[in-house]
Amino acid sequence: MLDDKKLKRLNQLAKLKREDNISKAELKELTGLREEYLSNFRSSFKNQIKNTKVIDPEGNDVTPDKVKALRNKK
């Protein structure tokens, strides 16, 4: 997870970019922070999907096979 300090910096740099007032070094920093943020987001989302179980109205487990395969893959 991205700590508060990094998240704050990411938002500052994004604002600078929107205002077209960003240096090349800041742009490189922004790219790195975005990659870290997206990597953490994807990992978290994947874990959430792994822990999801889909049940139909009759009470049957209809979780997609892909999700079951992710869950069994360790």
Side-chain angles (χ1 to χ4, degrees):
M1 184 105 201
L2 220 58
D3 62 20
D4 288 339
K5 187 177 178 182
K6 284 185 178 181
L7 191 56
K8 214 177 227 185
R9 181 66 177 153
L10 176 64
N11 288 327
Q12 288 172 343
L13 292 170
K15 183 179 179 185
L16 286 175
K17 186 175 181 196
R18 281 192 305 272
E19 295 169 350
D20 284 333
N21 194 18
I22 192 167
S23 69
K24 287 188 182 221
E26 289 172 329
L27 190 57
K28 188 174 181 179
E29 182 184 0
L30 174 62
T31 303
L33 287 171
R34 277 189 178 157
E35 285 301 316
E36 186 178 350
Y37 176 82
L38 288 173
S39 174
N40 288 332
F41 176 84
R42 288 179 184 121
S43 175
S44 175
F45 190 74
K46 192 173 188 178
N47 285 333
Q48 187 175 2
I49 293 296
K50 277 189 204 179
N51 294 315
T52 300
K53 189 173 189 177
V54 182
I55 306 294
D56 70 6
E58 287 89 40
N60 301 315
D61 182 2
V62 292
T63 305
D65 292 334
K66 272 187 167 182
V67 174
K68 289 178 183 177
L70 274 176
R71 197 177 299 144
N72 295 330
K73 185 179 174 184
K74 291 182 182 181

